[in-house]
Amino acid sequence: MNFDFKYFNPDETDVVVVPVFEDEKLDRFAAEFDAELGGIIQKRMDKKSFEGKAGEHATLSVDSEVYGVKDIILYGFGNKNELDVDKIRKLAINLDRTIKATGEKNIHLIGRDLEAGHDVRYPIAELFDAISANSYKFNKYKSSESNDNEGGVTLQADVDSGPGHVAHFEKLQAVTQSQNWARDLGNEPPNHLTPANYAKRITSELQQFDNVKVKTLDVADMEALGMGGALAVNQGSTKNPGCMVVIEYNGTGSDETPPLGLVGKGVTFDTGGYNLKPGGSMADMKTDMCGSASVVGAMRSIAARGAHAKVVAVVGLVENMVDGNAFRPSDVITMMNGKTVEIGNTDAEGRLVLADALTYIQQEYNPSTVLDFATLTGAMVMALADTYTGVFSNDDDLWGKIDKAGHESGEPGWRMPLGEAFTKAVQGSVADLSNTGKMKGAGASTAAAFLEAFVDEGRPWAHFDIAGTSSNGGAATGVGVRWLDEFVKDNIEGALPLHRNCWTPPGNDI
Ligand code: BES
Ligand code: ZN
Ligand code: ZN
């Protein structure tokens, strides 16, 4: 759908949407419009056959020869005093459906009536943005349909505060378009989104924004750095070599500030390796790169908004394939930080990629806080399905901030446990660590405990296991983009509390 802020012109309009509040008279512009139609809307309301309850809608057909428009949709916005951003965003989903059901292309909403009399500053911008997030479709590979997510429909509204509405809509769209981009990446088939193609897409998309630098570490670079974990997973990918993409964004104008660090799992396809996944559960594994999509989507959003923040991201992009070169269960590998790991299961590959990415970001950038996103475990899906993202953190204060941002962005998290029992369970028999561990069950916590072994002592860190929330019916959700954007807005832009509590190595207290 296309969106526009414009005055009503009957000659260019097929359908007019009239907002109606519960227990209120028709507002000024709707009343004027109704007078031109001979009062048909008011008659309907007088008969109490339309009350303006939230989401209630009715279509009135008029003679297009006489009135210039074909249909009028009365749309209920509920109680005027209770209207908030959350309600508008929920109402948008239904309104979107109602508009599409008309099959018409040019829709005008009487916007000035929706602007007045409540606390929401830019209600039409919120409404438009929510519709655009809701209209997302991935039709790229369907020869009969376009993937512009617009379908040739234009929704326009007249507003009094035009410049404010336009500016606010642009800000909201920076986030929504970034979430939709993350969904696009998650929905791409793995033969198209190979690690190399993915790296190119990240680079070309992000380099359009100011203050962004992108670099790609290829296999030779990874070898030089000793990234034994990511390279072990990559070993079976003889056709599509892996890489790490590093993105720096600095919107602060200062080089001194330590950055927020983001890390993402980008397994573009997870066969399980020699611990091959059963057929049914393998098909969904094209979305095993959604953690990296959350992270690069958030970087896009932060950069597109021009956020006053310094953020660095590292995403590990690899395939987990079966091949004569592939790694085996019981192999022992050496990670970038020097720790050795015995492979209990080649399907527990994500933690190996993430661990090296975590080491790299800490060594290179000394971030104030590190947040990692990954479709890490089936156990997480069993525990929370798609209702909450499981969040593991070594820092109560950080968890509080994540929880708050999760609620505000509509992407809630549930704190899951770390602890000694899980840490012990991932100790190796012949190596320092095992990538599966000895514990029966608690797979999401043992995976998190494995990652914790790669986080510097005292550094605030959180791990988001999005295995359950990253897709819905096989389609990527783009979870994490809004959440991270909100986290940056709340904690870094303006207040900078994370930066003030900058991490210092143990023993170097100031
Ligand atoms: N990518 C999977 C986790 C996953 C499962 C994501 C289902 C989304 C939906 C991960 O690499 C994996 O296979 N983990 C194993 C680990 C086990 C072998 C210790 C798992 O959870 O079964
Ligand atoms: Zn796996
Ligand atoms: Zn995986």
Side-chain angles (χ1 to χ4, degrees):
M1 206 180 276
N2 297 300
F3 301 94
D4 211 347
F5 297 96
K6 247 180 160 183
Y7 283 130
F8 175 50
N9 178 350
D11 297 335
E12 290 171 3
T13 307
D14 302 316
V15 176
V16 178
V17 180
V18 179
V20 180
F21 288 102
E22 199 173 348
D23 299 327
E24 303 269 346
K25 285 203 211 109
L26 275 183
D27 265 340
R28 182 178 148 205
F29 295 98
E32 279 175 14
F33 178 60
D34 190 36
E36 282 171 33
L37 298 173
I40 56 170
I41 301 176
Q42 193 57 53
K43 267 182 219 143
R44 183 90 187 228
M45 289 171 68
D46 289 344
K47 275 195 280 167
K48 290 269 179 211
S49 63
F50 191 87
E51 294 176 287
K53 288 198 174 13
E56 183 185 1
H57 54 90
T59 305
L60 313 178
S61 291
V62 288
D63 185 347
S64 60
E65 297 291 317
V66 181
Y67 299 109
V69 299
K70 295 178 196 161
D71 284 331
I72 293 148
I73 296 175
L74 304 184
Y75 195 79
F77 277 81
N79 188 322
K80 203 173 205 170
N81 301 321
E82 289 172 9
L83 197 70
D84 59 18
V85 170
D86 213 37
K87 291 215 174 70
I88 291 179
R89 296 191 79 88
K90 283 191 185 121
L91 283 166
I93 298 171
N94 206 350
L95 177 59
D96 181 35
R97 225 177 286 138
T98 311
I99 287 172
K100 282 183 186 138
T102 66
E104 299 294 348
K105 301 281 180 211
N106 300 302
I107 321 290
H108 184 93
L109 173 93
I110 302 188
R112 278 179 289 176
D113 281 351
L114 199 54
E115 262 184 295
H118 50 76
D119 290 342
V120 187
R121 187 116 189 249
Y122 300 115
I124 313 294
E126 300 288 348
L127 192 75
F128 281 6
D129 182 63
I131 291 178
S132 89
N134 187 56
S135 310
Y136 173 83
K137 277 202 189 78
F138 187 71
N139 291 332
K140 187 175 171 185
Y141 296 101
K142 288 194 178 168
S143 32
S144 58
E145 288 176 69
S146 77
N147 192 43
D148 60 4
N149 291 329
E150 285 161 6
V153 178
T154 300
L155 174 61
Q156 63 169 50
D158 47 310
V159 286
D160 279 327
S161 54
H165 254 100
V166 171
H168 190 66
F169 182 58
E170 276 171 11
K171 270 200 192 136
L172 295 173
Q173 282 283 285
V175 189
T176 296
Q177 284 169 0
S178 302
Q179 182 188 9
N180 288 349
W181 181 55
R183 285 159 139 176
D184 277 346
L185 294 169
N187 289 326
E188 278 287 352
N191 59 331
H192 288 264
L193 198 80
T194 60
N197 288 344
Y198 191 4
K200 273 191 213 139
R201 276 184 76 166
I202 295 171
T203 309
S204 65
E205 184 68 26
L206 290 177
Q207 272 179 349
Q208 63 174 310
F209 301 108
D210 290 341
N211 303 320
V212 174
K213 283 188 203 147
V214 187
K215 69 177 172 202
T216 301
L217 307 177
D218 62 14
V219 170
D221 297 323
M222 288 157 74
E223 278 167 356
L225 288 161
M227 291 182 162
L231 287 166
V233 179
N234 178 61
Q235 250 170 250
S237 294
T238 41
K239 191 163 169 245
N240 297 310
C243 56
M244 294 249 176
V245 180
V246 183
I247 307 150
E248 297 172 15
Y249 171 74
N250 189 354
T252 63
S254 148
D255 286 335
E256 304 301 305
T257 330
L260 168 71
L262 305 178
V263 168
K265 168 178 172 181
V267 174
T268 58
F269 195 71
D270 182 10
T271 65
Y274 274 99
N275 292 102
L276 197 64
K277 282 187 183 292
S281 60
M282 199 193 290
D284 289 341
M285 284 301 127
K286 70 167 190 176
T287 57
D288 209 18
M289 34 54 67
C290 281
S292 61
S294 309
V295 164
V296 297
M299 290 304 277
R300 187 196 182 283
S301 174
I302 291 161
R305 288 196 297 106
H308 187 77
K310 192 171 170 189
V311 190
V312 59
V314 178
V315 288
L317 314 182
V318 287
E319 291 181 332
N320 188 19
M321 301 298 279
V322 185
D323 179 84
N325 289 310
F327 73 143
R328 290 157 290 241
S330 79
D331 278 357
V332 171
I333 60 174
T334 304
M335 309 291 287
M336 184 181 170
N337 72 348
K339 289 194 180 174
T340 55
V341 175
E342 65 197 57
I343 304 302
N345 191 316
T346 58
D347 198 9
E349 82 300 336
R351 63 198 76 183
L352 301 172
V353 180
L354 283 175
D356 279 340
L358 283 168
T359 302
Y360 181 83
I361 206 167
Q362 292 172 101
Q363 284 190 6
E364 286 290 312
Y365 295 97
N366 188 22
S368 52
T369 295
V370 182
L371 309 177
D372 79 67
F373 275 71
T375 48
L376 205 62
T377 63
M380 197 69 252
V381 188
M382 291 297 121
L384 302 178
D386 61 356
T387 51
Y388 297 97
T389 294
V391 183
F392 303 77
S393 182
N394 60 0
D395 187 294
D396 293 347
D397 187 42
L398 176 60
W399 158 247
K401 290 167 179 162
I402 289 169
D403 190 28
K404 181 169 174 281
H407 282 294
E408 283 167 359
S409 62
E411 297 188 341
W414 197 275
R415 192 172 186 183
M416 298 287 292
L418 291 163
E420 208 189 324
F422 307 118
T423 305
K424 271 200 185 139
V426 291
Q427 299 309 303
S429 320
V430 297
D432 300 334
L433 293 161
S434 154
N435 78 331
T436 46
K438 303 186 239 335
M439 193 175 266
K440 289 245 175 296
S445 281
T446 50
F450 181 90
L451 296 179
E452 197 182 15
F454 295 85
V455 176
D456 297 325
E457 206 190 318
R459 192 186 300 273
W461 157 77
H463 157 59
F464 296 65
D465 192 336
I466 58 166
T469 49
S470 58
S471 58
N472 193 327
T477 59
V479 69
V481 176
R482 286 182 187 281
W483 197 348
L484 284 171
D485 189 83
E486 191 65 46
F487 180 88
V488 168
K489 228 185 273 167
D490 287 357
N491 299 293
I492 301 182
E493 291 178 73
L496 299 175
L498 286 165
H499 291 160
R500 257 186 261 124
N501 299 334
C502 166
W503 180 84
T504 46
N508 279 358
D509 292 343
I510 24 173

